[in-house]
Amino acid sequence: MELKYLSTFKTIVEEGSFTAAAKKLNYTQSTITFQIDQIQQELSVKLFEKIGRKMVLTSAGKELVPYADEVLKAVDKLHYIDKDVSHCKGELNIGVAETYLCYRLPKVLKAFVNKAPNARLNIRSMNCYEIRDALKEGTLDMGIFYKDVGGIGDSLVLKELEALPVSLIASPVTAEKFSDFTTPNRRYKIPLIINEPDCIFRQIFEEYLRDRSIVLDHTIELGSIETIKGLVQNDVGISFLPKFVIEKELKEGSLKEIKTNVRHNKLTIVCGYHKNKWISPLMQLFSDCLEQI
């Protein structure tokens, strides 16, 4: 059996479909189908079955998953025998919380690429819940996310990187007009401009508002921190963001902090991986590069 066929099988499992696996591997659909047919013929089992419009693993397919993982992991280890990491052509899959990826990680990524120029670094911007779950499922090698999402369990190994303060911010005009966010039972005709509902700092602030019975007019939900900052700077609303993404604007005076009594006013960023994961030289290198943060 060719190893690339097992790799294709694993990719289908990780991506959830033949089509998604073909796209990731840059294969045609027919190539994916051929490789799976070869495995099925060699093992005399059916690995997938069609239920509705979806291809799902059979019981035999589920049994093959850990064996495929073990074989591919062993092969991955062989790639590092007597090799300097600078010559390594291995692959590293990392999920990172978007805000941290944009504002804190570029120097780390640059250092990694300089030290392992031949490695393939796959970076995915994901929300923290997705990263946590992907690490548990083994579909990511490493993840950088806010520990505050909870639900970590005992299957992940975590390394704390830093504690990051979060702040309620507004333009100078808005901050002067809506300055009291500590007194309970208040209603303000101004929107909260923030990320999607799964955003951990949004959840922290919304819980604070509920506890204080502070009601805002509505919520403007956006995916871009830069867009959120731009709207806040132009007096459209307020936001609650990690302080490291607004340091420049606070220094310039285009944004101002508004005092709150949020108890959970710091986020703990961690680098995690599954406890059963083999720590490859590339994983170790990336972990070492994180030390410069």
Side-chain angles (χ1 to χ4, degrees):
M1 182 186 303
E2 292 197 36
L3 288 171
K4 66 180 179 181
Y5 296 172
L6 279 181
S7 181
T8 295
F9 170 74
K10 183 181 178 183
T11 304
I12 294 170
V13 174
E14 292 175 349
E15 297 298 315
S17 72
F18 281 41
T19 302
K23 184 177 181 180
K24 180 174 182 179
L25 296 172
N26 198 26
Y27 287 163
T28 63
Q29 186 84 19
S30 60
T31 299
I32 294 285
T33 303
F34 171 79
Q35 292 184 4
I36 296 304
D37 285 344
Q38 291 298 109
I39 300 176
Q40 292 180 146
Q41 289 178 28
E42 188 161 342
L43 298 179
S44 299
V45 295
K46 190 173 180 63
L47 300 175
F48 295 93
E49 58 186 348
K50 193 169 185 179
I51 298 180
R53 294 184 176 181
K54 293 184 177 180
M55 296 295 287
V56 299
L57 282 170
T58 63
S59 58
K62 291 176 182 177
E63 288 184 28
L64 179 61
V65 171
Y67 293 107
D69 285 342
E70 188 175 343
V71 170
L72 293 172
K73 187 185 295 183
V75 172
D76 191 39
K77 291 180 181 180
L78 289 174
H79 289 155
Y80 296 99
I81 291 179
D82 291 330
K83 277 192 177 181
D84 187 294
V85 72
S86 63
H87 300 139
C88 175
K89 295 183 180 180
E91 183 174 275
L92 191 60
N93 297 291
I94 302 176
V96 187
E98 182 191 8
T99 48
Y100 205 77
L101 175 60
C102 293
Y103 295 92
R104 298 291 281 172
L105 217 57
K107 289 183 179 179
V108 173
L109 299 179
K110 181 179 180 180
F112 178 89
V113 171
N114 285 340
K115 292 178 181 179
N118 297 307
R120 182 174 178 181
L121 182 60
N122 297 321
I123 298 288
R124 293 174 60 188
S125 173
M126 306 166 68
N127 75 51
C128 295
Y129 295 97
E130 291 174 336
I131 295 171
R132 178 199 65 192
D133 294 343
L135 289 173
K136 287 184 174 183
E137 293 164 4
T139 55
L140 286 176
D141 295 317
M142 303 175 77
I144 299 174
F145 62 107
Y146 297 117
K147 183 181 178 182
D148 311 77
V149 298
I152 304 298
D154 59 1
S155 62
L156 301 184
V157 176
L158 302 181
K159 174 184 178 182
E160 292 192 5
L161 300 178
E162 52 185 334
L164 303 162
V166 282
S167 300
L168 178 61
I169 52 104
S171 69
V173 171
T174 303
E176 184 175 355
K177 188 175 181 181
F178 302 98
S179 59
D180 187 357
F181 273 82
T182 59
T183 304
N185 303 307
R186 304 185 76 83
R187 182 178 292 271
Y188 289 134
K189 194 169 180 59
I190 190 171
L192 173 66
I193 309 174
I194 200 74
N195 288 106
E196 73 282 353
D198 282 341
C199 167
I200 186 65
F201 38 90
R202 171 177 174 172
Q203 293 173 353
I204 290 170
F205 188 61
E206 287 180 335
E207 182 180 357
Y208 173 77
L209 293 177
R210 287 193 296 269
D211 290 345
R212 291 268 165 172
S213 297
I214 298 174
V215 179
L216 302 182
D217 190 59
H218 62 285
T219 298
I220 298 175
E221 189 176 299
L222 298 169
S224 165
I225 294 292
E226 287 301 312
T227 303
I228 291 171
K229 290 195 295 184
L231 292 180
V232 173
Q233 286 173 302
N234 283 281
D235 312 322
V236 176
I238 61 171
S239 192
F240 190 73
L241 298 172
K243 202 166 181 178
F244 69 86
V245 310
I246 51 172
E247 289 175 339
K248 178 183 175 183
E249 290 79 10
L250 290 174
K251 189 175 292 186
E252 294 173 346
S254 60
L255 289 176
K256 282 196 170 183
E257 290 185 74
I258 299 176
K259 182 183 177 183
T260 70
N261 288 326
V262 176
R263 291 182 180 180
H264 194 162
N265 62 357
K266 285 189 176 181
L267 299 173
T268 302
I269 194 79
V270 295
C271 177
Y273 57 88
H274 197 281
K275 67 179 182 181
N276 295 330
K277 192 79 177 173
W278 173 61
I279 310 302
S280 71
L282 287 180
M283 286 180 64
Q284 186 59 58
L285 172 61
F286 192 85
S287 181
D288 293 342
C289 289
L290 286 170
E291 296 290 341
Q292 67 181 267
I293 290 177

mmCIF file of all heavy atoms in Angstrom, residues 18-48:
data_model
loop_
_atom_site.group_PDB
_atom_site.id
_atom_site.type_symbol
_atom_site.label_atom_id
_atom_site.label_comp_id
_atom_site.label_asym_id
_atom_site.label_seq_id
_atom_site.Cartn_x
_atom_site.Cartn_y
_atom_site.Cartn_z
ATOM 1 N N PHE A 18 -14.585 14.141 0.296
ATOM 2 C CA PHE A 18 -13.649 13.893 -0.795
ATOM 3 C C PHE A 18 -13.297 15.202 -1.505
ATOM 4 O O PHE A 18 -12.151 15.436 -1.884
ATOM 5 C CB PHE A 18 -14.265 12.911 -1.806
ATOM 6 C CG PHE A 18 -14.219 11.467 -1.389
ATOM 7 C CD1 PHE A 18 -14.490 11.084 -0.083
ATOM 8 C CD2 PHE A 18 -13.908 10.472 -2.313
ATOM 9 C CE1 PHE A 18 -14.447 9.757 0.315
ATOM 10 C CE2 PHE A 18 -13.861 9.138 -1.936
ATOM 11 C CZ PHE A 18 -14.135 8.772 -0.620
ATOM 12 N N THR A 19 -14.319 16.042 -1.688
ATOM 13 C CA THR A 19 -14.122 17.302 -2.416
ATOM 14 C C THR A 19 -13.145 18.215 -1.692
ATOM 15 O O THR A 19 -12.226 18.778 -2.299
ATOM 16 C CB THR A 19 -15.461 18.026 -2.602
ATOM 17 O OG1 THR A 19 -16.369 17.166 -3.306
ATOM 18 C CG2 THR A 19 -15.282 19.319 -3.379
ATOM 19 N N ALA A 20 -13.340 18.370 -0.373
ATOM 20 C CA ALA A 20 -12.454 19.236 0.419
ATOM 21 C C ALA A 20 -11.035 18.686 0.449
ATOM 22 O O ALA A 20 -10.063 19.433 0.388
ATOM 23 C CB ALA A 20 -12.997 19.385 1.836
ATOM 24 N N ALA A 21 -10.916 17.341 0.530
ATOM 25 C CA ALA A 21 -9.585 16.724 0.537
ATOM 26 C C ALA A 21 -8.883 16.930 -0.797
ATOM 27 O O ALA A 21 -7.682 17.216 -0.845
ATOM 28 C CB ALA A 21 -9.710 15.228 0.840
ATOM 29 N N ALA A 22 -9.642 16.806 -1.902
ATOM 30 C CA ALA A 22 -9.054 17.019 -3.230
ATOM 31 C C ALA A 22 -8.534 18.439 -3.370
ATOM 32 O O ALA A 22 -7.450 18.675 -3.924
ATOM 33 C CB ALA A 22 -10.104 16.731 -4.306
ATOM 34 N N LYS A 23 -9.293 19.397 -2.831
ATOM 35 C CA LYS A 23 -8.884 20.800 -2.906
ATOM 36 C C LYS A 23 -7.610 21.041 -2.097
ATOM 37 O O LYS A 23 -6.685 21.716 -2.566
ATOM 38 C CB LYS A 23 -10.014 21.694 -2.396
ATOM 39 C CG LYS A 23 -9.728 23.176 -2.516
ATOM 40 C CD LYS A 23 -10.925 24.003 -2.061
ATOM 41 C CE LYS A 23 -10.637 25.497 -2.198
ATOM 42 N NZ LYS A 23 -11.792 26.320 -1.758
ATOM 43 N N LYS A 24 -7.558 20.481 -0.897
ATOM 44 C CA LYS A 24 -6.383 20.692 -0.041
ATOM 45 C C LYS A 24 -5.142 20.049 -0.635
ATOM 46 O O LYS A 24 -4.044 20.612 -0.581
ATOM 47 C CB LYS A 24 -6.644 20.138 1.360
ATOM 48 C CG LYS A 24 -5.460 20.338 2.296
ATOM 49 C CD LYS A 24 -5.767 19.921 3.718
ATOM 50 C CE LYS A 24 -4.553 20.190 4.621
ATOM 51 N NZ LYS A 24 -4.824 19.819 6.031
ATOM 52 N N LEU A 25 -5.305 18.847 -1.206
ATOM 53 C CA LEU A 25 -4.161 18.103 -1.735
ATOM 54 C C LEU A 25 -3.830 18.457 -3.184
ATOM 55 O O LEU A 25 -2.859 17.962 -3.745
ATOM 56 C CB LEU A 25 -4.439 16.594 -1.643
ATOM 57 C CG LEU A 25 -4.600 16.033 -0.220
ATOM 58 C CD1 LEU A 25 -5.071 14.591 -0.276
ATOM 59 C CD2 LEU A 25 -3.295 16.143 0.553
ATOM 60 N N ASN A 26 -4.695 19.312 -3.758
ATOM 61 C CA ASN A 26 -4.524 19.692 -5.173
ATOM 62 C C ASN A 26 -4.598 18.465 -6.087
ATOM 63 O O ASN A 26 -3.829 18.332 -7.039
ATOM 64 C CB ASN A 26 -3.200 20.434 -5.379
ATOM 65 C CG ASN A 26 -3.169 21.227 -6.684
ATOM 66 O OD1 ASN A 26 -4.220 21.635 -7.195
ATOM 67 N ND2 ASN A 26 -1.991 21.428 -7.229
ATOM 68 N N TYR A 27 -5.532 17.575 -5.759
ATOM 69 C CA TYR A 27 -5.803 16.390 -6.569
ATOM 70 C C TYR A 27 -7.137 16.573 -7.298
ATOM 71 O O TYR A 27 -7.978 17.382 -6.883
ATOM 72 C CB TYR A 27 -5.930 15.134 -5.697
ATOM 73 C CG TYR A 27 -4.647 14.590 -5.122
ATOM 74 C CD1 TYR A 27 -4.683 13.687 -4.056
ATOM 75 C CD2 TYR A 27 -3.397 14.947 -5.628
ATOM 76 C CE1 TYR A 27 -3.525 13.155 -3.513
ATOM 77 C CE2 TYR A 27 -2.236 14.420 -5.086
ATOM 78 C CZ TYR A 27 -2.300 13.536 -4.025
ATOM 79 O OH TYR A 27 -1.152 13.015 -3.497
ATOM 80 N N THR A 28 -7.345 15.804 -8.342
ATOM 81 C CA THR A 28 -8.671 15.737 -8.954
ATOM 82 C C THR A 28 -9.533 14.812 -8.107
ATOM 83 O O THR A 28 -9.027 13.986 -7.341
ATOM 84 C CB THR A 28 -8.605 15.194 -10.389
ATOM 85 O OG1 THR A 28 -8.109 13.852 -10.357
ATOM 86 C CG2 THR A 28 -7.702 16.063 -11.264
ATOM 87 N N GLN A 29 -10.853 14.947 -8.267
ATOM 88 C CA GLN A 29 -11.771 14.071 -7.534
ATOM 89 C C GLN A 29 -11.533 12.598 -7.896
ATOM 90 O O GLN A 29 -11.597 11.717 -7.044
ATOM 91 C CB GLN A 29 -13.217 14.456 -7.870
ATOM 92 C CG GLN A 29 -14.279 13.725 -7.056
ATOM 93 C CD GLN A 29 -14.532 14.390 -5.722
ATOM 94 O OE1 GLN A 29 -14.190 15.554 -5.543
ATOM 95 N NE2 GLN A 29 -15.114 13.659 -4.793
ATOM 96 N N SER A 30 -11.231 12.358 -9.155
ATOM 97 C CA SER A 30 -11.023 10.978 -9.600
ATOM 98 C C SER A 30 -9.777 10.361 -8.967
ATOM 99 O O SER A 30 -9.735 9.162 -8.677
ATOM 100 C CB SER A 30 -10.913 10.920 -11.132
ATOM 101 O OG SER A 30 -9.828 11.709 -11.594
ATOM 102 N N THR A 31 -8.745 11.189 -8.733
ATOM 103 C CA THR A 31 -7.523 10.695 -8.081
ATOM 104 C C THR A 31 -7.816 10.269 -6.652
ATOM 105 O O THR A 31 -7.348 9.215 -6.189
ATOM 106 C CB THR A 31 -6.426 11.776 -8.087
ATOM 107 O OG1 THR A 31 -6.103 12.112 -9.436
ATOM 108 C CG2 THR A 31 -5.170 11.300 -7.369
ATOM 109 N N ILE A 32 -8.591 11.093 -5.940
ATOM 110 C CA ILE A 32 -8.978 10.770 -4.565
ATOM 111 C C ILE A 32 -9.749 9.450 -4.533
ATOM 112 O O ILE A 32 -9.459 8.552 -3.735
ATOM 113 C CB ILE A 32 -9.850 11.902 -3.973
ATOM 114 C CG1 ILE A 32 -9.037 13.189 -3.823
ATOM 115 C CG2 ILE A 32 -10.444 11.472 -2.627
ATOM 116 C CD1 ILE A 32 -8.073 13.210 -2.690
ATOM 117 N N THR A 33 -10.718 9.334 -5.431
ATOM 118 C CA THR A 33 -11.541 8.122 -5.481
ATOM 119 C C THR A 33 -10.698 6.895 -5.797
ATOM 120 O O THR A 33 -10.854 5.837 -5.178
ATOM 121 C CB THR A 33 -12.648 8.284 -6.538
ATOM 122 O OG1 THR A 33 -13.437 9.438 -6.227
ATOM 123 C CG2 THR A 33 -13.546 7.052 -6.574
ATOM 124 N N PHE A 34 -9.768 7.027 -6.748
ATOM 125 C CA PHE A 34 -8.896 5.916 -7.122
ATOM 126 C C PHE A 34 -8.063 5.445 -5.934
ATOM 127 O O PHE A 34 -7.940 4.235 -5.685
ATOM 128 C CB PHE A 34 -7.978 6.334 -8.274
ATOM 129 C CG PHE A 34 -6.901 5.336 -8.586
ATOM 130 C CD1 PHE A 34 -7.185 4.191 -9.325
ATOM 131 C CD2 PHE A 34 -5.600 5.516 -8.112
ATOM 132 C CE1 PHE A 34 -6.188 3.247 -9.587
ATOM 133 C CE2 PHE A 34 -4.606 4.590 -8.378
ATOM 134 C CZ PHE A 34 -4.902 3.453 -9.119
ATOM 135 N N GLN A 35 -7.481 6.393 -5.200
ATOM 136 C CA GLN A 35 -6.612 6.022 -4.083
ATOM 137 C C GLN A 35 -7.383 5.311 -2.978
ATOM 138 O O GLN A 35 -6.895 4.325 -2.398
ATOM 139 C CB GLN A 35 -5.898 7.264 -3.542
ATOM 140 C CG GLN A 35 -4.889 7.844 -4.521
ATOM 141 C CD GLN A 35 -4.112 9.015 -3.944
ATOM 142 O OE1 GLN A 35 -4.275 9.362 -2.773
ATOM 143 N NE2 GLN A 35 -3.272 9.630 -4.756
ATOM 144 N N ILE A 36 -8.582 5.782 -2.694
ATOM 145 C CA ILE A 36 -9.401 5.116 -1.677
ATOM 146 C C ILE A 36 -9.825 3.727 -2.157
ATOM 147 O O ILE A 36 -9.833 2.765 -1.386
ATOM 148 C CB ILE A 36 -10.630 5.972 -1.321
ATOM 149 C CG1 ILE A 36 -10.179 7.296 -0.679
ATOM 150 C CG2 ILE A 36 -11.559 5.231 -0.371
ATOM 151 C CD1 ILE A 36 -9.297 7.137 0.554
ATOM 152 N N ASP A 37 -10.148 3.609 -3.444
ATOM 153 C CA ASP A 37 -10.499 2.295 -4.001
ATOM 154 C C ASP A 37 -9.339 1.313 -3.861
ATOM 155 O O ASP A 37 -9.541 0.126 -3.582
ATOM 156 C CB ASP A 37 -10.888 2.433 -5.481
ATOM 157 C CG ASP A 37 -12.272 3.027 -5.671
ATOM 158 O OD1 ASP A 37 -13.042 3.054 -4.688
ATOM 159 O OD2 ASP A 37 -12.580 3.473 -6.795
ATOM 160 N N GLN A 38 -8.106 1.806 -4.042
ATOM 161 C CA GLN A 38 -6.926 0.945 -3.918
ATOM 162 C C GLN A 38 -6.779 0.408 -2.495
ATOM 163 O O GLN A 38 -6.458 -0.760 -2.292
ATOM 164 C CB GLN A 38 -5.670 1.719 -4.332
ATOM 165 C CG GLN A 38 -5.589 2.040 -5.812
ATOM 166 C CD GLN A 38 -5.532 0.787 -6.679
ATOM 167 O OE1 GLN A 38 -6.476 0.451 -7.379
ATOM 168 N NE2 GLN A 38 -4.411 0.082 -6.614
ATOM 169 N N ILE A 39 -6.997 1.288 -1.513
ATOM 170 C CA ILE A 39 -6.919 0.848 -0.112
ATOM 171 C C ILE A 39 -8.006 -0.185 0.167
ATOM 172 O O ILE A 39 -7.760 -1.218 0.795
ATOM 173 C CB ILE A 39 -7.074 2.044 0.859
ATOM 174 C CG1 ILE A 39 -5.969 3.082 0.644
ATOM 175 C CG2 ILE A 39 -7.043 1.558 2.313
ATOM 176 C CD1 ILE A 39 -6.123 4.326 1.499
ATOM 177 N N GLN A 40 -9.211 0.089 -0.307
ATOM 178 C CA GLN A 40 -10.338 -0.813 -0.048
ATOM 179 C C GLN A 40 -10.107 -2.191 -0.663
ATOM 180 O O GLN A 40 -10.404 -3.219 -0.047
ATOM 181 C CB GLN A 40 -11.640 -0.191 -0.580
ATOM 182 C CG GLN A 40 -12.060 1.044 0.206
ATOM 183 C CD GLN A 40 -13.339 1.683 -0.285
ATOM 184 O OE1 GLN A 40 -14.116 2.219 0.491
ATOM 185 N NE2 GLN A 40 -13.577 1.640 -1.591
ATOM 186 N N GLN A 41 -9.542 -2.187 -1.855
ATOM 187 C CA GLN A 41 -9.269 -3.472 -2.513
ATOM 188 C C GLN A 41 -8.195 -4.247 -1.764
ATOM 189 O O GLN A 41 -8.291 -5.461 -1.578
ATOM 190 C CB GLN A 41 -8.832 -3.230 -3.961
ATOM 191 C CG GLN A 41 -9.951 -2.762 -4.885
ATOM 192 C CD GLN A 41 -9.468 -2.490 -6.287
ATOM 193 O OE1 GLN A 41 -8.498 -3.096 -6.745
ATOM 194 N NE2 GLN A 41 -10.126 -1.565 -6.991
ATOM 195 N N GLU A 42 -7.153 -3.530 -1.323
ATOM 196 C CA GLU A 42 -6.049 -4.199 -0.648
ATOM 197 C C GLU A 42 -6.466 -4.756 0.708
ATOM 198 O O GLU A 42 -6.030 -5.834 1.117
ATOM 199 C CB GLU A 42 -4.868 -3.239 -0.485
ATOM 200 C CG GLU A 42 -3.618 -3.916 0.034
ATOM 201 C CD GLU A 42 -2.362 -3.104 -0.248
ATOM 202 O OE1 GLU A 42 -2.408 -2.209 -1.122
ATOM 203 O OE2 GLU A 42 -1.339 -3.382 0.398
ATOM 204 N N LEU A 43 -7.338 -4.017 1.409
ATOM 205 C CA LEU A 43 -7.766 -4.455 2.741
ATOM 206 C C LEU A 43 -9.056 -5.270 2.701
ATOM 207 O O LEU A 43 -9.468 -5.822 3.725
ATOM 208 C CB LEU A 43 -7.966 -3.225 3.652
ATOM 209 C CG LEU A 43 -6.732 -2.366 3.921
ATOM 210 C CD1 LEU A 43 -7.094 -1.198 4.815
ATOM 211 C CD2 LEU A 43 -5.620 -3.200 4.568
ATOM 212 N N SER A 44 -9.701 -5.294 1.514
ATOM 213 C CA SER A 44 -10.974 -6.022 1.346
ATOM 214 C C SER A 44 -12.049 -5.514 2.304
ATOM 215 O O SER A 44 -12.803 -6.286 2.914
ATOM 216 C CB SER A 44 -10.767 -7.532 1.552
ATOM 217 O OG SER A 44 -9.858 -8.044 0.603
ATOM 218 N N VAL A 45 -12.097 -4.191 2.463
ATOM 219 C CA VAL A 45 -13.134 -3.571 3.299
ATOM 220 C C VAL A 45 -13.651 -2.324 2.597
ATOM 221 O O VAL A 45 -13.012 -1.788 1.684
ATOM 222 C CB VAL A 45 -12.584 -3.160 4.697
ATOM 223 C CG1 VAL A 45 -12.162 -4.377 5.486
ATOM 224 C CG2 VAL A 45 -11.430 -2.163 4.559
ATOM 225 N N LYS A 46 -14.801 -1.860 3.046
ATOM 226 C CA LYS A 46 -15.352 -0.610 2.547
ATOM 227 C C LYS A 46 -15.105 0.455 3.601
ATOM 228 O O LYS A 46 -15.481 0.287 4.770
ATOM 229 C CB LYS A 46 -16.856 -0.761 2.277
ATOM 230 C CG LYS A 46 -17.467 0.408 1.522
ATOM 231 C CD LYS A 46 -18.905 0.084 1.144
ATOM 232 C CE LYS A 46 -19.563 1.235 0.386
ATOM 233 N NZ LYS A 46 -18.902 1.517 -0.901
ATOM 234 N N LEU A 47 -14.443 1.538 3.233
ATOM 235 C CA LEU A 47 -14.055 2.567 4.190
ATOM 236 C C LEU A 47 -15.090 3.682 4.332
ATOM 237 O O LEU A 47 -15.211 4.285 5.402
ATOM 238 C CB LEU A 47 -12.709 3.180 3.794
ATOM 239 C CG LEU A 47 -11.529 2.205 3.725
ATOM 240 C CD1 LEU A 47 -10.294 2.915 3.203
ATOM 241 C CD2 LEU A 47 -11.261 1.595 5.097
ATOM 242 N N PHE A 48 -15.795 3.973 3.256
ATOM 243 C CA PHE A 48 -16.798 5.041 3.273
ATOM 244 C C PHE A 48 -18.100 4.514 2.686
ATOM 245 O O PHE A 48 -18.102 3.632 1.824
ATOM 246 C CB PHE A 48 -16.328 6.250 2.458
ATOM 247 C CG PHE A 48 -15.110 6.941 3.009
ATOM 248 C CD1 PHE A 48 -13.834 6.592 2.576
ATOM 249 C CD2 PHE A 48 -15.236 7.936 3.976
ATOM 250 C CE1 PHE A 48 -12.715 7.228 3.076
ATOM 251 C CE2 PHE A 48 -14.111 8.571 4.480
ATOM 252 C CZ PHE A 48 -12.848 8.228 4.037
#
